[in-house]
Amino acid sequence: MAAYEFLQQRVKTTSDFEKTRRHINAFLLGWGGEFDRHNVQLNARHDRNSQFGGKTTGTLGYGYRVNEAVKLTANWGTAFRVPTFNDLYW
């Protein structure tokens, strides 16, 4: 999987805030595979925020199908969250 996301945000107000506009560009790559009883998934994402800079995050997942009814899984990942304009100004 490959994807691109663009988000533009703007605050409409009569108050004098430091930032009233920002944009976010995100690039995503993902891959998943199934090998006999094993499942693997890898994901990576890079966010570039005009107000807070850039950050790369990712996820790694593994699953093992014990039988038709039971599958054991383990996942690890990182995250990046910038404050919304409401978090900053409200």
Side-chain angles (χ1 to χ4, degrees), residues 6-7 21 23 31 37 41 62 64 72 77 84 86-87:
F6 175 78
L7 176 63
R21 294 172 184 250
H23 62 272
W31 176 82
R37 294 177 176 240
Q41 183 167 354
Y62 173 76
Y64 180 76
L72 303 175
T84 65
N86 279 345
D87 291 338

Side-chain angles (χ1 to χ4, degrees), residues 34 36-37 64-71:
E34 187 173 332
D36 192 29
R37 294 177 176 240
Y64 180 76
R65 186 169 308 281
V66 177
N67 57 43
E68 289 298 316
V70 178
K71 180 179 179 182

Side-chain angles (χ1 to χ4, degrees), residues 10-12 14 20 22 29 36 43-44 59 79 90:
R10 188 175 87 193
V11 173
K12 291 178 106 178
T14 57
T20 59
R22 67 181 173 197
L29 292 174
D36 192 29
N43 298 304
T59 303
W90 194 59

Side-chain angles (χ1 to χ4, degrees), residues 8-62:
Q8 187 168 325
Q9 299 175 323
R10 188 175 87 193
V11 173
K12 291 178 106 178
T13 181
T14 57
S15 299
D16 188 23
F17 294 135
E18 182 181 333
K19 291 275 188 180
T20 59
R21 294 172 184 250
R22 67 181 173 197
H23 62 272
I24 299 105
N25 290 288
F27 300 91
L28 303 86
L29 292 174
W31 176 82
E34 187 173 332
F35 310 96
D36 192 29
R37 294 177 176 240
H38 306 273
N39 293 62
V40 178
Q41 183 167 354
L42 303 167
N43 298 304
R45 176 182 174 120
H46 181 77
D47 285 87
R48 184 78 187 147
N49 184 297
S50 63
Q51 187 176 9
F52 293 100
K55 181 72 173 176
T56 300
T57 57
T59 303
L60 171 63
Y62 173 76

